[in-house]
Amino acid sequence: AFEMDEESDLLKVIDGVLYQKTSSGLVLIYCPPAYSGILTIPDGVVSISDDACAVCEELIRVEMPDSVEHINSWAFGHCSKLEHVRISKNLRYVGSCAFCECTSLKEVDFTLCKYYFGYDDFDTCAFQYCDGIKLKLPESLERRRQYIERDIKHRVTAAELDATDWM
C-alpha cells in the first residue's frame, strides 16, 4: 500500500492508492502492483491516469463511481486476474489499451453510459488481447463493433512487425 508521511495540497492517499487533487476532482494516479482484491474508487474521482493500475495482477474487481469521466491509456493494462469492472454512467473517454491483456475479464457493460462516444472517445484497442470478453456497447459504438472485436483478438506477428515501415 502507498503511504504518505504528511498531508499534501496536491496528493491524497485513500486505502493505499495515490490520487492527485485537481480543480475538477481527484485523479487516480497510482495503485501499487501488489494491490489485490476489490478496488473501490471513491466518489469524486474524475479520471484514471495512464498506467495508474497497470500490472496490478491480483486485482479482481473494480467498482467505479459515476464521477469518473476518463479512463486513460493502459490504466488497467496487464491486470490478468481482473474479472469485473463496473463502468461509470458518466464515462466520456476510454484510451488506448485501457484494459489490454486483462485476460480474465469476461464482460463489460457500457450501455448505461449516458454520453455519446465519438470517434476519438473510445479507442478500438482498449480491450486488446482480452480474448473471450463480451462487450455491451451503446448505440454510438455499435457501428465500430467489428473494429473493436478485431482488435480484441489481434496479435501482432513478427512478420507484421517486419513489414511495418517505422520511418
Side-chain angles (χ1 to χ4, degrees), residues 87-89 108-115 117 135-139 142 145:
I87 295 294
S88 165
K89 293 177 186 172
V108 180
D109 187 352
F110 289 94
T111 59
L112 299 177
C113 295
K114 59 185 181 182
Y115 293 102
F117 284 101
L135 294 177
K136 292 184 177 180
L137 300 175
E139 192 175 315
E142 277 300 332
R145 178 178 287 281

Side-chain angles (χ1 to χ4, degrees), residues 7 20 43-44 46 51 60 63 77 90 92 105 109-110 112 141 159:
E7 189 66 27
Q20 179 182 7
D43 193 35
V46 295
D51 305 305
I60 58 168
E63 293 294 329
N90 293 309
R92 296 172 181 256
L105 203 52
D109 187 352
F110 289 94
L112 299 177
L141 288 174

Side-chain angles (χ1 to χ4, degrees), residues 58-144:
E58 299 299 317
L59 189 62
I60 58 168
R61 184 178 185 96
V62 174
E63 293 294 329
M64 193 177 301
D66 288 333
S67 57
V68 173
E69 296 181 358
H70 295 89
I71 302 173
N72 291 297
S73 298
W74 289 96
F76 295 97
H78 300 285
C79 294
S80 59
K81 292 183 181 174
L82 183 62
E83 297 174 358
H84 176 80
V85 178
R86 185 220 173 259
I87 295 294
S88 165
K89 293 177 186 172
N90 293 309
L91 193 63
R92 296 172 181 256
Y93 176 81
V94 179
S96 176
C97 287
F99 294 93
C100 278
E101 298 190 27
C102 292
T103 53
S104 297
L105 203 52
K106 299 299 176 217
E107 181 178 279
V108 180
D109 187 352
F110 289 94
T111 59
L112 299 177
C113 295
K114 59 185 181 182
Y115 293 102
Y116 179 86
F117 284 101
Y119 185 79
D120 294 327
D121 300 329
F122 192 102
D123 194 289
T124 61
C125 295
F127 290 90
Q128 198 167 30
Y129 313 132
C130 294
D131 298 339
I133 191 170
K134 179 181 178 188
L135 294 177
K136 292 184 177 180
L137 300 175
E139 192 175 315
S140 62
L141 288 174
E142 277 300 332
R143 69 189 186 291
R144 296 179 57 213

